[in-house]
Structures are given as structure tokens and as C-alpha cells.
Amino acid sequence: MLMVRGRAGGTELTGTLYERGEQAPTFKGAPNEAAAYVWVCDEFYEVDSGGSSQLVDGREVNLAFESPMPRGFDTREQAVDAAKEHVRTQFARIGVDPASVEFEVEKAELETDL
């Protein structure tokens, strides 16, 4: 499992990329189980009132969240590229220049129930 983290505007967004052989979450709208790589990350947009408040670039932004939109990919490169584009898009939706997003991709260990 990879964690793809984008940072910009004084905040960050992290999504999860499940790799071949790992059990991605299953729920309505999840990609076909045959997908080698599955990307899952929040989607959000700015609202005038309500939502969750977040400080971005020194201004308070109210965010409304949509259901995560999981996507399946055949290769790791396709999946990481799409993950980065997804994160850039979320930042753009709240007024942050997508070109300013800095990325970190790190391997995360799956937690198991003991």
C-alpha cells in the first residue's frame, strides 16, 4: 500500500493506493476486483457556509466532501500519475494553484487485526 500525499497552501491531502495482491476496500462503486492497483481518496469542493473549516493559504475555507471515488489501474505508474492528478484537482477546486502541490509517495504497512 502506498500513501500519496500532496502539500500546498499550508495543508495536505493524502490518499491510499492499494497495490497488486492487497485487499482494497469493497463498497458500491469500487473498481473491479481484478484491478491491479486501486486509488482511493477524498473528493471535496469549497462551499460558502457549512462543511468542514480548513486554513488554506492563510484563509479559512469551508469544504464539503463527496464520497471517495475509487479508481482501478493496470500499472503502478498509471496509478501514481492518476493519484497525483487527483490531488492536484482537489487543490484547484479550493483555489490553490495545482502546480504548487508538492508530493510525497511512501510505502505504508497494512494493519492486521490481532
Side-chain angles (χ1 to χ4, degrees):
M1 177 169 48
L2 298 175
M3 304 305 287
V4 179
R5 180 174 297 111
R7 291 186 178 97
T11 192
E12 65 183 50
L13 174 62
T14 303
T16 306
L17 180 60
Y18 295 88
E19 298 184 279
R20 186 181 312 276
E22 296 174 340
Q23 183 65 42
T26 56
F27 50 89
K28 185 178 179 178
N32 182 319
E33 291 181 14
Y37 298 88
V38 177
W39 167 247
V40 179
C41 188
D42 286 334
E43 293 190 17
F44 51 83
Y45 55 94
E46 187 172 359
V47 293
D48 291 331
S49 63
S52 298
S53 180
Q54 179 73 36
L55 190 61
V56 179
D57 272 342
R59 69 180 181 96
E60 192 169 321
V61 176
N62 293 321
L63 302 176
F65 288 84
E66 300 173 344
S67 297
M69 184 58 90
R71 296 175 54 200
F73 300 92
D74 294 328
T75 69
R76 178 187 256 188
E77 182 179 349
Q78 289 172 334
V80 170
D81 288 347
K84 288 179 177 180
E85 185 58 31
H86 172 92
V87 170
R88 283 186 196 98
T89 297
Q90 301 317 299
F91 276 104
R93 292 173 86 180
I94 59 171
V96 175
D97 179 4
S100 71
V101 179
E102 295 179 2
F103 287 97
E104 178 181 317
V105 178
E106 63 184 36
K107 185 82 171 158
E109 296 301 320
L110 289 172
E111 294 183 22
T112 58
D113 295 325
L114 299 177

